[in-house]
Amino acid sequence: MMGAGRVGYLVAKMLESDGHDVTIVEKNKERAKELANMINGLVIEGDATDPKTLEEANIKQAKAFAALTGKDDANLLACILAKHLNPKIKTSLRISNPQNRRIFKEVTDLRKYFDFVISPEEIAAEYISRNIVTPGFDRVLFPKEGAEIVKFQIDENKEIAGKLVKELKLPRDSLIVAIYDDKGNLIIPSGDTKLPQKGQIIMFAKNSALDDLKDLVEKVKTKENDSED
């Protein structure tokens, strides 16, 4: 991994928590020293746009490489070098300027050097705008597909609690992918699955279906509020 700012550090911690070995190349000497005390993985002080530094980080044995600095040109060069040294490696390119993302994806000769393009700023803006348009969900965005994973509570309401999945009037382009009961047990539903009286529903839906889905959630909340009055 290249870059140990806020994004790079959070990614490193998440990967470590999932049991992955992480190596970070950080150009800033003080930041590299600080990071060495914050993660379990190897921290190399150096420039990942230098092939020798990448080789020191065992890039030829790595399965994945992520260039996560705030400098688009350096990230792109690092991904090109990583692919050159290890053609089988999966590269993730961070783009801070959304306009650069479009340019990089249009230039065919460049696309072969990176497998994933990430723009945290663009994702954050999309996340905020979606919460303004359709608030009230816990959500995970799929901007490219125009879809989201959303979550809401079931709490002993007559609208959906205790019903079969196939009986729900779900909007088109929406799908229940998981259900948790009040004890936290995971249920992968079919049409004949009966919803618990309390718990959570996890749904995958296109953005176009969220308004109708929100209406269903609002009905649930209305039922809950009426029962409290």
Side-chain angles (χ1 to χ4, degrees):
M1 181 183 301
M2 170 188 178
R6 287 175 293 178
V7 174
Y9 170 70
L10 289 174
V11 171
K13 294 297 289 184
M14 289 177 183
L15 289 172
E16 285 191 338
S17 68
D18 287 339
H20 299 285
D21 294 326
V22 177
T23 298
I24 295 182
V25 178
E26 171 55 46
K27 194 173 183 179
N28 184 283
K29 181 178 181 180
E30 293 301 318
R31 180 58 177 168
K33 185 184 298 184
E34 179 184 22
L35 197 69
N37 297 319
M38 298 168 66
I39 69 166
N40 298 320
L42 176 64
V43 179
I44 297 174
E45 179 195 340
D47 186 350
T49 61
D50 182 344
K52 292 182 179 179
T53 303
L54 287 177
E55 289 177 349
E56 183 183 350
N58 295 317
I59 197 70
K60 292 181 179 180
Q61 287 74 45
K63 293 182 179 180
F65 174 77
L68 301 176
T69 76
K71 297 181 178 180
D72 294 356
D73 53 349
N75 290 343
L76 178 62
L77 178 56
C79 284
I80 291 174
L81 290 174
K83 278 285 191 182
H84 177 71
L85 294 170
N86 181 356
K88 294 183 179 180
I89 201 169
K90 296 294 184 181
T91 56
S92 296
L93 172 70
R94 175 187 176 181
I95 299 296
S96 295
N97 184 340
Q99 185 176 359
N100 286 340
R101 177 174 180 166
R102 178 182 59 80
I103 294 172
F104 291 153
K105 291 184 80 68
E106 288 178 356
V107 180
T108 306
D109 290 342
L110 288 177
R111 289 198 305 236
K112 62 184 179 182
Y113 293 107
F114 46 86
D115 299 285
F116 306 100
V117 180
I118 312 117
S119 176
E121 293 83 0
E122 196 173 35
I123 293 172
E126 176 72 11
Y127 185 90
I128 292 168
S129 67
R130 293 304 305 167
N131 274 291
I132 291 172
V133 174
T134 53
F137 294 117
D138 290 331
R139 65 216 305 159
V140 176
L141 300 184
F142 293 78
K144 182 179 178 180
E145 293 80 7
E148 304 179 33
I149 292 177
V150 297
K151 176 178 69 176
F152 62 91
Q153 298 287 329
I154 314 168
D155 193 10
E156 294 185 328
N157 63 82
K158 296 179 181 179
E159 190 72 28
I160 60 174
K163 286 191 174 183
L164 301 180
V165 169
K166 64 185 178 183
E167 295 176 337
L168 300 178
K169 296 180 180 180
L170 297 176
R172 185 178 180 180
D173 294 326
S174 66
L175 176 69
I176 296 178
V177 294
I179 299 169
Y180 287 91
D181 63 21
D182 59 343
K183 296 180 181 179
N185 296 315
L186 172 63
I187 303 165
I188 304 299
S190 67
D192 293 322
T193 299
K194 187 177 182 179
L195 297 179
Q197 294 297 317
K198 290 185 178 181
Q200 294 180 337
I201 293 179
I202 314 296
M203 300 193 67
F204 185 62
K206 288 186 177 180
N207 295 339
S208 57
L210 286 178
D211 284 336
D212 291 334
L213 188 59
K214 184 173 181 292
D215 288 341
L216 175 61
V217 176
E218 290 302 321
K219 287 180 182 178
V220 170
K221 291 181 178 179
T222 300
K223 293 284 186 179
E224 292 171 354
N225 292 335
D226 289 346
S227 64
E228 292 173 358
D229 292 341

